[in-house]
Amino acid sequence: MLGFAFAGLLLMQSCKPKGTSSAAGGDASKAYVAPGKYDEFYNFVSGGFSGQMPVYGIPSGRLLRVIPVFSVDPEKGWGYSEETKPMLNTSHGFVPWDDLHHIALSVTNSEHDGRWVFGNANNTPRIARIDLKTFRTAEIIEIPNSAGNHSSPFITENSEYVVAGTRFSVPIGDKQDVPIDTYKDNFKGTVSFIGVDKTTGDMNIAFQILTPGVNFDLARAGKGKSAGWFFFSCYNSEKANTLLEVNASQKDKDFIMAVNWKKAEEYAKAGKGVKKQVKYAHNKFDESTHTASSTMMNEVLVLDPKDCPDMIYFMPCPKSPHGCDTDPTGEYIVGSGKLAATIPVFSFTKIQNAIASKTFDGEYDGIPVLKYDAVLHGEVQKPGLGPLHTEFDAKGNAYTSFFVSSEIVKWDVKSLKVLDRVPTYYSVGHLSVPGGPTKKPHGKYVIAYNKITKDRYLPTGPELSQSAQMYDISGDKMKLVLDFPTIGEPHYAEAIPAELVMKNSTKIFKIEENKNPYVAMGEGKTKVERKGNEVHVYMTAIRSHLTPDNIEGVKVGDVVYFHVTNLEQDWDVPHGFAIKGANNGELLVMPGETQTLMWKPDRVGIFPFYCTDFCSALHQEMQGYIRISPAGSNVPLLYHTGKTKPSVSTPDTKDSGKTK
């Protein structure tokens, strides 16, 4: 098997294009969006190891926004402001980073509806929901009984559930301290069904399904005739626990797991599940207070297939499958075995017939295994090397990425005939067709997300940017029209018509609706208060000054909270806030919003603070000073704006005061 691995590596290298001269031709004008004009699509892309979610315009490829999700972001103060810190809380404490691999846009009747986008944390298992009104992370829920949340977030046809499968099987329950080599006896997998409120989007873990100890990779919900079902690719049916490169690639076939989630839902409601004691964080951001909260949960409902017959089945799939994709009709399920020379396409009708007639090929850990030939629509022959992921257009065509041979192959879903192929530059992973995972794809383009760029961009040292490449698919032949760099390591992406998002976009937060407990509703409401060793500064920001901008009477050992309210009510006029010596980050405060920066002065002196976001011609003048005195000093607490000299202040009995 080691020889096979080395041979595969050599094959991988030999199949990559050697230069750019063989690039597919195309009309670059199709990617041109004139200055002042809008793109047709928003493209939401995984940020991979950045932990964030970048948003690009299509067809221009322009980077529009990087949404902070699972990693702290000093540009926007995410994870640095006191209001957002709870969003990164977990059962392990504050976790400032994660690995975002996949996204899923909310759908109604299997069509994009423009409400939310979901993202997964692969490392410390979590699911995030981003509100597309604000392009902000509104909610993050941790997933217990999981390790490596790769197979997520995938969504049912009316956004009833976001579904997540564990990448790594691990011991589940009370018995955690076991030898690793007891994997086959003690390790289990889970798939989690996270309920989504149809109005608010609020998430909760409805139930989990206990599975054999395999590794889950990707998944797709059924649609149309297969609505009510979910399909997961899984590998390591060998249950290896070391050197998986070899030991988890021995069998000719692994599995796609088919789950009747409607039946699972019925079992959960009928009390067939067992409530397990766990610990996980559920974090929400409240837009009325501009403040996050974190609640620690302690229970989850688990369904065991042995108690819930006819709920899940396995279908053999060529070894180490990655992609598992359902076509727009819901009839066909495409598997992508990374080490296979064919692409298997399964028929939902045949799956149902095989289940009804019990056409099984034995079982795997008590789960019925459907006979391969009984559920197979057919195989795409000699499509390429290293198939990974498939998307669809509205014309009955499929587009599959091939990592090893660095290409996209177009083929007919019904006839299984290869229709076209184009090279990518290089080593394409996932790809995206606008609307490709939905019932009604928009087509027009397919976008490849490549792992390696080599000679495509100016060199930037030992690490180069990852790459996206856009191809025109409006005609019979695919044509490359655009390269654009991406942040992090792009995995999966989805594109949605811009009009679905723009119509509900939030432009400002109304100051009169600000319910933050530390809001200052105007400059006349600013103040500085001492509470023991805490000093709370209720500050406002408006073009082009901060109020107050002179503060005295703070001492070494105090903890200072700057509560900054942006008084602007004009679109796209945020203000920033930073202070010398702060060991966290800055604030970025949207119009009508309040955010808080905590600062612990560690020495005596005068410390400047200023607005970090360029807001007017006098932005440079938008600054102030805070005086830090020795611990134990009796300097009164003073604050003011607009006076050249501090007046004498008479502090109250709480050692707080203002300029008289």
Side-chain angles (χ1 to χ4, degrees):
M1 294 303 293
L2 282 171
F4 173 83
F6 289 135
L9 179 62
L10 291 172
L11 180 62
M12 182 185 301
Q13 299 301 321
S14 66
C15 289
K16 289 175 182 172
K18 297 297 189 291
T20 59
S21 60
S22 60
D27 183 0
S29 66
K30 289 183 178 293
Y32 180 69
V33 177
K37 299 296 183 182
Y38 289 158
D39 280 284
E40 184 177 0
F41 298 99
Y42 287 103
N43 189 30
F44 296 88
V45 184
S46 81
F49 44 70
S50 78
Q52 316 296 38
M53 187 183 295
V55 185
Y56 298 87
I58 295 297
S60 73
R62 298 181 294 204
L63 178 62
L64 304 176
R65 181 96 175 143
V66 177
I67 304 171
V69 185
F70 296 115
S71 298
V72 294
D73 185 349
E75 180 190 11
K76 303 174 185 68
W78 182 255
Y80 293 108
S81 73
E82 295 303 294
E83 284 82 0
T84 59
K85 283 180 180 178
M87 293 299 288
L88 301 182
N89 189 41
T90 74
S91 62
H92 305 275
F94 182 84
V95 176
W97 167 87
D98 217 298
D99 187 14
L100 197 160
H101 275 218
H102 307 121
I103 66 100
L105 287 160
S106 59
V107 291
T108 299
N109 193 26
S110 292
E111 297 180 41
H112 289 150
D113 57 30
R115 294 181 294 168
W116 310 301
V117 57
F118 300 86
N120 71 322
N122 183 36
N123 187 58
T124 301
R126 287 170 285 172
I127 296 291
R129 175 176 61 88
I130 292 91
D131 189 335
L132 290 183
K133 289 181 180 178
T134 59
F135 279 63
R136 279 186 174 174
T137 302
E139 189 175 10
I140 295 177
I141 191 167
E142 190 178 1
I143 304 175
N145 295 328
S146 179
N149 178 39
H150 186 265
S151 183
S152 67
F154 301 102
I155 196 160
T156 54
E157 59 266 28
N158 285 294
S159 304
E160 300 96 336
Y161 296 102
V162 172
V163 182
T166 185
R167 174 178 176 181
F168 309 106
S169 287
V170 292
I172 302 294
D174 298 331
K175 195 176 181 181
Q176 297 287 315
D177 183 18
V178 298
I180 297 174
D181 61 9
T182 64
Y183 186 113
K184 294 182 179 180
D185 299 319
N186 292 316
F187 288 47
K188 292 288 186 180
T190 58
V191 292
S192 302
F193 282 75
I194 300 162
V196 181
D197 185 276
K198 64 181 179 181
T199 302
T200 65
D202 288 352
M203 300 186 293
N204 71 285
I205 299 178
F207 57 87
Q208 295 182 315
I209 297 176
L210 193 66
T211 72
V214 295
N215 297 39
F216 291 101
D217 203 336
L218 295 175
R220 278 287 186 223
K223 57 177 78 78
K225 61 177 60 181
S226 57
W229 285 75
F230 227 103
F231 304 94
F232 298 81
S233 64
C234 49
Y235 62 100
N236 194 22
S237 56
E238 296 86 350
K239 295 185 181 179
N241 62 276
T242 183
L243 196 61
L244 266 63
E245 176 190 13
V246 173
N247 294 324
S249 303
Q250 295 184 10
K251 295 181 179 179
D252 288 336
K253 290 183 174 64
D254 284 293
F255 297 116
I256 286 177
M257 186 175 76
V259 176
N260 185 337
W261 68 259
K262 286 286 190 181
K263 188 175 285 290
E265 186 180 59
E266 292 173 3
Y267 280 133
K269 291 178 180 178
K272 293 291 186 181
V274 176
K275 291 182 179 179
K276 300 286 188 180
Q277 294 301 303
V278 291
K279 185 179 180 181
Y280 64 98
H282 190 180
N283 310 329
K284 293 184 180 181
F285 193 85
D286 184 338
E287 287 293 2
S288 65
T289 63
H290 312 299
T291 302
S293 60
S294 179
T295 305
M296 203 59 63
M297 313 297 286
N298 55 25
E299 191 175 74
V300 68
L301 184 69
V302 178
L303 300 176
D304 192 327
K306 66 178 173 43
D307 302 320
C308 305
D310 305 320
M311 182 174 64
I312 66 176
Y313 299 89
F314 282 121
M315 302 186 298
C317 185
K319 64 172 64 178
S320 298
H322 184 63
C324 178
D325 302 284
T326 57
D327 85 312
T329 70
E331 169 62 19
Y332 301 109
I333 300 97
V334 180
S336 296
K338 299 192 296 288
L339 303 180
T342 63
I343 301 174
V345 182
F346 302 96
S347 160
F348 181 74
T349 300
K350 289 186 175 182
I351 292 170
Q352 295 305 295
N353 290 339
I355 291 172
S357 63
K358 299 187 183 301
T359 309
F360 301 148
D361 191 10
E363 61 180 39
Y364 181 82
D365 278 17
I367 308 298
V369 178
L370 302 172
K371 284 191 175 180
Y372 182 70
D373 292 338
V375 297
L376 188 69
H377 166 61
E379 296 177 336
V380 182
Q381 298 295 321
K382 298 181 179 179
L385 298 173
L388 288 186
H389 172 227
T390 300
E391 293 255 307
F392 307 90
D393 63 19
K395 303 174 184 178
N397 300 313
Y399 301 80
T400 300
S401 59
F402 288 83
F403 180 84
V404 177
S405 52
S406 290
E407 60 184 334
I408 299 173
V409 174
K410 174 182 177 181
W411 49 278
D412 184 277
V413 176
K414 290 187 178 179
S415 71
L416 307 178
K417 292 182 178 178
V418 172
L419 304 174
D420 189 27
R421 63 179 71 235
V422 289
T424 61
Y425 302 94
Y426 306 96
S427 299
V428 57
H430 283 272
L431 44 72
S432 173
V433 173
T438 72
K439 187 169 70 174
K440 292 184 179 179
H442 309 293
K444 292 192 176 183
Y445 310 105
V446 61
I447 305 155
Y449 300 95
N450 305 329
K451 306 302 184 184
I452 298 170
T453 55
K454 295 293 187 187
D455 49 10
R456 301 302 285 185
Y457 304 116
L458 291 171
T460 53
E463 184 185 13
L464 303 178
S465 173
Q466 282 79 23
S467 171
Q469 293 185 295
M470 187 180 74
Y471 298 78
D472 175 12
I473 59 171
S474 58
D476 291 336
K477 298 294 183 180
M478 296 178 281
K479 296 181 179 180
L480 176 63
V481 296
L482 181 67
D483 281 18
F484 58 98
T486 60
I487 71 163
E489 182 192 359
H491 291 264
Y492 183 54
E494 285 191 35
I496 185 173
E499 60 185 13
L500 287 179
V501 178
M502 290 174 60
K503 63 183 180 181
N504 295 318
S505 181
T506 296
K507 294 188 175 180
I508 62 169
F509 297 104
K510 294 180 180 179
I511 188 70
E512 65 270 18
E513 295 177 0
N514 186 331
K515 305 300 181 185
N516 189 297
Y518 297 102
V519 64
M521 289 287 194
E523 293 185 0
K525 300 294 185 181
T526 59
K527 58 184 177 179
V528 180
E529 292 182 341
R530 175 177 290 281
K531 297 179 181 179
N533 75 326
E534 293 183 358
V535 176
H536 292 265
V537 181
Y538 294 70
M539 180 179 284
T540 60
I542 195 166
R543 289 167 285 184
S544 296
H545 61 275
L546 299 161
T547 303
D549 64 4
N550 279 212
I551 304 168
E552 300 186 35
V554 181
K555 309 165 189 176
V556 173
D558 285 341
V559 180
V560 185
Y561 293 90
F562 294 96
H563 310 290
V564 184
T565 299
N566 183 346
L567 296 180
E568 307 284 356
Q569 291 290 270
D570 190 9
W571 189 23
D572 195 29
V573 189
H575 287 296
F577 180 84
I579 184 167
K580 177 185 176 182
N583 59 4
N584 43 20
E586 61 142 11
L587 297 178
L588 191 62
V589 193
M590 297 300 113
E593 183 182 47
T594 300
Q595 291 286 290
T596 301
L597 185 74
M598 181 185 71
W599 177 55
K600 296 180 180 180
D602 64 353
R603 67 196 67 179
V604 171
I606 303 296
F607 292 81
F609 51 80
Y610 66 102
C611 174
T612 55
D613 192 292
F614 204 101
C615 53
S616 73
L618 296 177
H619 164 75
Q620 200 75 353
E621 285 74 15
M622 195 169 175
Q623 66 176 58
Y625 295 100
I626 185 169
R627 172 187 172 190
I628 305 300
S629 300
S633 66
N634 59 1
V635 177
L637 195 63
L638 307 172
Y639 59 96
H640 64 84
T641 299
K643 295 180 181 292
T644 57
K645 288 186 178 181
S647 323
V648 176
S649 173
T650 304
D652 63 20
T653 56
K654 296 181 180 179
D655 193 23
S656 66
K658 62 181 179 181
T659 302
K660 300 295 186 182

